[in-house]
C-alpha cells in the first residue's frame, strides 16, 4: 500500500478553491496575517492546533504534528482527525496501526465530507477481517472522545468564551469597533465587523462555514494519483454508536511559546 499522507495536505491546501461555483464565503481567517496575529486563533483552538500541526509537518517534526492534530481533533476539527488517521495508517510520527487509522478516518468522514469518505473506503478495502473487527471495536472509544456529539460542544464553549472576553460590553456594537493588533511595523487597525463576522463565532454558523468548505472540496491531480470517493460508499459510520464522553481531557500537545499567537489589543472605551 502506497503512502497516502500527502492526500490530507492536498485537501487542506485546496479546499477553498472548491468554492468557485458557490456563493462567496468570508475568506479563511487563517490566511489573513492580521487575523492570525490578532488573537483570533487563541479563541479557535481547532484552527490553531491544525496550523501548528501543518507547520510541524513541514518541518519534519512528525511526532509533534501528530500531537497537534490530535489536540485540534479534540475540538471537532475534521481535517485534523483525517491527518491523525493518515499518520496512523503510515506509521508517520507514531506507531503504525491500520485498524485505529480506519477508526479515525471513519470519524473524519462523520459529516459526509467527500474527500474523507473516499479515503475511509480505501482504508476499509485494504483491511483484513481481523483488522476490520478491531477497527470497529477501537472506533467506539475514538467516537466517544472525538465524535461531534462530544467535540462540537467543546468548540462552541471556546467560541462563546472568546467572543465574550474580547467584546465585553461592546457586544452588538462591533460594526464601529476598531481593533488594534501588533504587527511588524507597530500596531495595525482592523474593523470589528471583519474580526467578529458571525460565521467565525456563532457555533452553528461556524459549523455551516466548515461544511461549505469541506463537503465537496476540489482535489487537484498530483503525481502519485488522485483521491477518489469509492462508488456507492455510504456516509454512515460502520462504528457502532456509543455514548459521548463529555468529560474527556484534551490530549497532550507540545508547548507553544506564549507569544506565538499574540493577543488582541482593544482601545479603552470612549468616555
Amino acid at each position: 500500500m502506497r503512502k497516502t499522507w500527502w492526500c490530507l495536505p492536498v485537501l487542506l491546501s485546496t479546499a477553498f478553491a472548491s468554492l468557485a461555483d458557490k456563493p462567496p464565503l468570508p475568506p479563511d481567517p487563517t490566511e489573513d496575517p492580521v487575523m492570525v496575529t490578532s488573537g483570533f486563533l487563541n479563541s479557535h483552538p481547532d484552527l490553531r492546533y491544525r496550523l501548528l500541526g501543518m507547520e510541524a509537518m513541514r518541518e519534519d517534526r512528525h511526532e509533534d504534528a501528530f500531537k497537534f492534530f490530535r489536540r485540534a481533533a479534540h475540538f471537532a476539527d475534521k481535517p485534523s482527525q483525517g491527518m491523525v488517521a493518515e499518520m496512523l495508517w503510515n506509521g508517520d510520527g507514531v506507531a503504525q496501526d491500520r485498524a485505529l487509522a480506519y477508526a479515525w478516518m471513519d470519524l473524519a468522514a462523520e459529516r459526509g465530507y467527500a474527500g474523507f469518505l473516499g479515503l475511509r473506503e480505501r482504508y476499509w478495502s485494504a483491511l483484513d477481517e481481523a483488522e476490520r473487527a478491531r477497527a470497529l471495536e477501537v472506533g467506539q472509544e475514538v467516537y466517544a472522545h472525538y465524535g461531534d456529539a462530544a467535540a462540537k460542544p467543546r468548540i462552541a464553549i471556546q467560541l462563546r468564551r472568546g467572543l465574550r472576553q474580547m467584546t465585553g460590553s461592546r457586544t452588538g456594537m462591533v460594526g464601529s469597533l476598531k481593533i488594534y493588533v501588533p504587527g511588524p511595523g507597530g500596531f495595525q487597525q482592523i474593523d470589528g465587523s471583519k474580526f467578529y463576522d458571525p460565521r467565525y463565532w456563532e457555533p452553528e454558523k461556524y459549523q455551516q462555514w466548515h461544511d461549505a468548505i469541506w463537503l465537496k472540496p476540489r482535489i487537484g491531480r498530483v503525481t502519485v494519483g488522485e483521491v477518489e470517493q469509492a462508488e456507492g460508499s455510504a456516509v454512515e459510520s460502520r462504528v457502532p454508536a456509543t455514548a459521548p464522553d463529555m468529560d474527556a481531557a484534551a490530549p497532550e500537545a507540545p508547548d507553544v511559546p506564549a507569544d506565538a499567537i499574540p493577543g488582541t489589543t482593544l482601545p479603552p472605551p470612549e468616555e
Side-chain angles (χ1 to χ4, degrees), residues 39-40 42-44 155-168 195-196 201 264 266:
F40 180 91
N42 289 330
S43 299
H44 295 74
I155 187 61
I157 289 172
Q158 295 294 318
L159 296 175
R160 294 190 181 105
R161 179 182 298 160
L163 184 62
R164 183 172 62 251
Q165 290 175 343
M166 287 188 288
T167 59
F195 189 90
Y196 294 114
W201 297 96
T264 301
L266 297 174

